[in-house]
Amino acid sequence: MTQERVILVGVETERNYSTFASSMNELKSLTKTANGEVIFSLIQKRPQVDRQTVIGKGKLAELQQLVDAHEADLVIFNHELTPRQSQLIGEELGAPVIDRVQLILDIFAMRARSKEGKLQVELAQLDYLLPRLIGQGKNMSRLGGGIGTRGPGETKLETDRRHIRNRITIIKRELKEVAAHRDRTRQKRRDSQVFQIGLIGYTNAGKSTILNLLTSADTYEQDQLFATLDPLTKRWRLPEGLEVTVTDTVGFIQELPTQLIDAFHSTLEESQNMDLLLHVVDAGSHDRQQQEKTVLALMEELSLTQVPVLTIYNKADRIDPEQFVPTLFPNVLISAKSSKGKEQLIQAIKMELMQIMQPYQTVLAANEGKRLSRLKRETLLLTNDFDEEDQTYHLKGFALPGSAGIYPTIEE
């Protein structure tokens, strides 16, 4: 697949100067993920973006010369363009123009695997494109061929708005059914008293790597933005025997398009029902603290602040551990690529489990093997001593709060 030649455009303003550099670097990575080759980055400083053309007339003329000189296939703006801006800039440049939102939606369209993932991406794209149908004529010819064109095809967009609105209604209905099914599955897990762990974090922090490390899930694990899109839940058995579920989620990103927050609410809502969240952070990232802030802000937006969180500082192999200063607590610093990392991670998770669960101790008769194996599977059993004289098992461990009714032998 041939790479498209792309020019990036960004405006540093009084509002975005603190995150501007990292945002432009991210745009570069996003373009690479979408199979584009960045041949030039045009950067401008101004108090605020120009209301008509984002960069102003003079800079737009310069951009037009750059497009010709570099034979660019596409121009990507690091700002969400209004339908009018998009039309004006496109006409002036005589080249296809998309914005950061469209680029992210495009990558999501590439990554979606499940029926729900595909529906959610299509919904987000249609929501985004509906007000932008006027003046799309020139861009229509690119549909199905290049960055910003994946997802709903030509026929869906060239027909009138009513068709798109109908399609949006149908998708929303289908997503409701999928969400109801997910709710039933979630309720089953709840009823069975399974401890649920959720992975969250900035995109490309290593969530899928950690899921694979714990569960051998063999998920798609790549040094790319948005490598995982569809939530994946796997069972994981701790060395002591306790069975829990671990769910991977889509990565967060600065200025996540609002269309995507809405479309992926059901996916991210999965995290609200977790007993413990593992917040994975790339310890070696230059923008680590900014990425942490982004995730914490989105967690607040999704009402996740009530769930206990363990921060996993990943990729310790890329930094000097002696110089590392963590900002979030409780935490553990590991390299998911090392065997030692797995041990450290399991220990840290166990410590958190003991904070969340309630301690118990109980005595079982020698013939209560079934009950013993259930306690091993459903509680964190730390000591299991057999008394030869009494022919009894003396057990100590931790169970989910309110478990006394489920395990009559437990004394809380």
Side-chain angles (χ1 to χ4, degrees), residues 216-269:
S216 313
D218 201 24
T219 57
Y220 184 67
E221 185 190 307
Q222 207 58 48
D223 189 19
Q224 284 180 335
L225 298 176
F226 302 120
T228 302
L229 189 58
D230 298 306
L232 176 69
T233 300
K234 289 283 170 188
R235 283 192 171 270
W236 170 44
R237 181 176 290 192
L238 273 80
E240 289 75 13
L242 170 65
E243 282 186 3
V244 302
T245 61
V246 186
T247 301
D248 194 3
T249 58
V250 61
F252 295 177
I253 192 166
Q254 259 187 68
E255 300 152 48
L256 186 71
T258 48
Q259 294 89 345
L260 281 178
I261 291 185
D262 295 344
F264 284 82
H265 237 280
S266 59
T267 308
L268 295 165
E269 265 169 13

Side-chain angles (χ1 to χ4, degrees), residues 33-149:
T33 300
N35 200 38
E37 180 198 356
V38 177
I39 49 172
F40 196 86
S41 291
L42 181 71
I43 288 165
Q44 185 187 32
K45 285 187 186 185
R46 51 187 300 151
Q48 59 198 53
V49 297
D50 183 83
R51 280 170 60 185
Q52 282 196 309
T53 59
V54 179
I55 53 175
K57 287 231 168 76
K59 211 68 173 167
L60 194 59
E62 187 186 324
L63 178 58
Q64 207 252 314
Q65 289 172 350
L66 287 166
V67 169
D68 292 343
H70 290 281
E71 296 177 351
D73 301 307
L74 180 65
V75 176
I76 303 177
F77 276 74
N78 194 25
H79 313 266
E80 185 170 347
L81 301 174
T82 65
R84 184 79 184 119
Q85 285 170 339
S86 196
Q87 192 184 349
L88 278 172
I89 297 166
E91 283 170 3
E92 196 68 37
L93 297 181
V97 175
I98 66 168
D99 61 18
R100 183 189 180 90
V101 177
Q102 223 170 328
L103 176 61
I104 292 172
L105 289 173
D106 189 69
I107 293 167
F108 272 60
M110 284 165 65
R111 293 275 179 264
R113 293 283 176 271
S114 71
K115 181 189 173 186
E116 184 185 18
K118 286 175 180 168
L119 285 171
Q120 285 174 324
V121 172
E122 187 177 348
L123 177 62
Q125 287 183 312
L126 292 174
D127 271 343
Y128 178 79
L129 288 164
L130 190 56
R132 291 168 169 78
L133 283 178
I134 303 162
Q136 281 282 337
K138 202 176 289 178
N139 286 356
M140 282 299 161
S141 58
R142 300 184 73 249
L143 283 166
I147 298 171
T149 67

Side-chain angles (χ1 to χ4, degrees), residues 116-382:
E116 184 185 18
K118 286 175 180 168
L119 285 171
Q120 285 174 324
V121 172
E122 187 177 348
L123 177 62
Q125 287 183 312
L126 292 174
D127 271 343
Y128 178 79
L129 288 164
L130 190 56
R132 291 168 169 78
L133 283 178
I134 303 162
Q136 281 282 337
K138 202 176 289 178
N139 286 356
M140 282 299 161
S141 58
R142 300 184 73 249
L143 283 166
I147 298 171
T149 67
R150 286 170 273 242
E154 217 162 338
T155 51
K156 287 196 186 116
L157 296 179
E158 279 187 322
T159 48
D160 65 359
R161 286 160 184 249
R162 193 181 311 137
H163 178 82
I164 290 182
R165 286 200 185 98
N166 289 344
R167 181 72 191 134
I168 287 173
T169 309
I170 291 164
I171 292 173
K172 282 182 175 170
R173 197 180 305 136
E174 285 189 52
L175 281 172
K176 255 188 190 154
E177 286 166 20
V178 177
H181 173 71
R182 194 211 295 279
D183 267 350
R184 288 192 293 274
T185 312
R186 204 153 49 198
Q187 197 52 50
K188 266 186 198 162
R189 286 208 299 265
R190 268 265 161 267
D191 294 344
S192 64
Q193 281 280 313
V194 175
F195 192 93
Q196 298 179 65
I197 296 175
L199 287 162
I200 58 162
Y202 208 77
T203 182
N204 205 26
K207 293 184 297 300
S208 298
T209 311
I210 281 168
L211 182 71
N212 289 344
L213 184 73
L214 295 175
T215 68
S216 313
D218 201 24
T219 57
Y220 184 67
E221 185 190 307
Q222 207 58 48
D223 189 19
Q224 284 180 335
L225 298 176
F226 302 120
T228 302
L229 189 58
D230 298 306
L232 176 69
T233 300
K234 289 283 170 188
R235 283 192 171 270
W236 170 44
R237 181 176 290 192
L238 273 80
E240 289 75 13
L242 170 65
E243 282 186 3
V244 302
T245 61
V246 186
T247 301
D248 194 3
T249 58
V250 61
F252 295 177
I253 192 166
Q254 259 187 68
E255 300 152 48
L256 186 71
T258 48
Q259 294 89 345
L260 281 178
I261 291 185
D262 295 344
F264 284 82
H265 237 280
S266 59
T267 308
L268 295 165
E269 265 169 13
E270 188 94 339
S271 307
Q272 290 173 355
N273 297 283
M274 297 295 156
D275 298 296
L276 171 66
L277 290 174
L278 303 179
H279 174 191
V280 186
V281 178
D282 178 351
S285 169
H286 298 304
D287 306 310
R288 190 192 96 213
Q289 293 192 3
Q290 184 55 47
Q291 291 174 2
E292 288 176 356
K293 276 183 194 162
T294 300
V295 173
L296 294 178
L298 275 164
M299 279 173 71
E300 203 156 306
E301 202 170 311
L302 292 160
S303 316
L304 297 178
T305 45
Q306 307 307 312
V307 186
V309 180
L310 168 67
T311 300
I312 300 170
Y313 285 109
N314 187 28
K315 308 190 185 182
D317 48 309
R318 298 187 183 180
I319 57 161
D320 176 0
E322 301 293 315
Q323 303 290 313
F324 182 72
V325 182
T327 33
L328 299 176
F329 299 87
N331 65 62
V332 59
L333 174 65
I334 66 155
S335 166
K337 298 285 183 193
S338 73
S339 52
K340 196 174 152 202
K342 186 175 181 177
E343 288 308 308
Q344 292 168 315
L345 179 57
I346 291 172
Q347 272 311 115
I349 291 172
K350 263 190 342 208
M351 293 301 288
E352 284 310 298
L353 292 182
M354 288 190 265
Q355 295 290 324
I356 297 162
M357 294 170 139
Q358 290 181 341
Y360 75 86
Q361 48 186 341
T362 190
V363 178
L364 294 183
N367 62 357
E368 292 186 277
K370 259 190 180 169
R371 197 166 267 173
L372 176 63
S373 68
R374 190 177 171 192
L375 285 172
K376 275 184 184 170
R377 197 172 59 247
E378 296 179 11
T379 75
L380 183 62
L381 185 58
L382 297 182

Side-chain angles (χ1 to χ4, degrees), residues 388-404:
E388 294 281 352
E389 217 171 290
D390 295 353
Q391 289 290 293
T392 53
Y393 292 99
H394 292 256
L395 313 172
K396 277 185 186 176
F398 287 81
L400 279 168
S403 298

